[in-house]
Amino acid sequence: MWLGIQQIEVYPVTLAYREPFRIAPGASTESHNVVVRIITDYGVCGWGEASPSERVTGETAETVVKVLDKIAPKLVGMCPLRIENIVELMDNLVAGNPSAKAAIDIALHDIFGKTVRKELYRVIGGYRTEVLTDITLGIKSPKEMAKDAAKAVKRGFKALKVKVGVDPEEDVERVRLIRETVGDDIQIRIDANQGWTPKQAIQALNKMTKYNIQFAEQPVPAEDLKGLIEVKRNSPIPVMADESVHSPEDAVRLIKAEAVDLINIKLMKSGGIHKARKIAAIAEAAGIPCMIGCMGESEIGIAAGAHLAAAVRNIQYADLDSDLLLKDKLVKKGGTKVKNSMRMFPKIHGLGIRELDTVKLGKPLKVYK
Ligand code: MN
């Protein structure tokens, strides 16, 4: 065979957070991910990862494994470089389930970079050579969050993503105290994770604007399009859609409705890098800048997001920090390490993952060949 997928391995992994990570809808102590390895018949293999969020896409590690059981057998023997074709095939086999599809898509992109013997970001656009990421401050009391902010700045972070969306008054206090603590030179963006009503959002954002907030993510519930439009119209802070935009089709719908100023792309919502690039292109044509975000990915999924952000001009912001929030590390060598808020790319082909922790990875649950 020539340029064919020979084997696909599926590894469910559980990765613990350093501390309980709380956002408006609830707290997490661990991330249940599914790692995929695709082995070709020409000596190249690629790593991919799903980090499903039940709240956002309705997926769990269990559903990802089930969906991969439908998709993976059909991919054996196919050319791994026919990514658009494989993405179409996956959509024809199973509707939705973007995290499961992202695991395959990411592994195919890793293979693509390794096949052409270049770092992935260089061969899908190569716009920038490093990526500024923020670090997220989970919800705690305003005082505790201000302490966390000071620690993050001491570690070199130039941008903070502040989780809010609990109590509007207290949320304003969070932002005030954090801005006072870190000074004027640090970028602050906020994320309400659907936690406010439109009225609460408009009031809170008008109070927060004096603390120089870059943008406000998902102020109202994902399905409340009218509410989002109302907030965007009445907010002095630019509004970013996260949970409201999963796919290229969602991006078109929200842009047409004039509901957003910015879009947060996540590989786990879009189904991987291929469709994420389409969202970024649609948004660019409409004058809407994008951010790349993450769910609970390890260094593998984060590397995929970082390569995409480096490649694409319109991905102007990055919130790629879940591997830093996780205590458990899956990658031993390689990956996109952070130095002074910047994601750096090692001179390793593809995603740049060189060695995994084989004990944490364990034996594959499923092998398709
Ligand atoms: Mn968000």
Side-chain angles (χ1 to χ4, degrees), residues 121 128-136 155-158 292 294 297-310 317-326 329 331 334-346 353:
Y121 77 91
R128 37 181 95 78
T129 57
E130 47 186 51
V131 172
L132 189 148
T133 180
D134 63 30
I135 186 127
T136 303
R155 282 167 69 195
F157 285 98
K158 310 268 187 278
I292 179 82
C294 58
E297 293 95 317
S298 77
E299 303 91 331
I300 299 171
I302 288 296
H307 278 273
L308 174 67
Y317 307 99
D319 167 33
L320 294 171
D321 62 353
S322 56
D323 59 334
L324 307 172
L325 306 180
L326 292 167
K329 306 294 173 203
V331 171
T336 53
K337 300 224 161 56
V338 179
K339 207 176 162 190
N340 287 325
S341 230
M342 304 305 286
R343 285 269 168 200
M344 319 289 282
F345 298 91
I353 305 297

Side-chain angles (χ1 to χ4, degrees), residues 353-364:
I353 305 297
R354 184 156 273 163
E355 191 189 325
L356 268 75
D357 184 326
T358 50
V359 176
K360 286 228 170 69
L361 185 67
K363 295 259 176 291

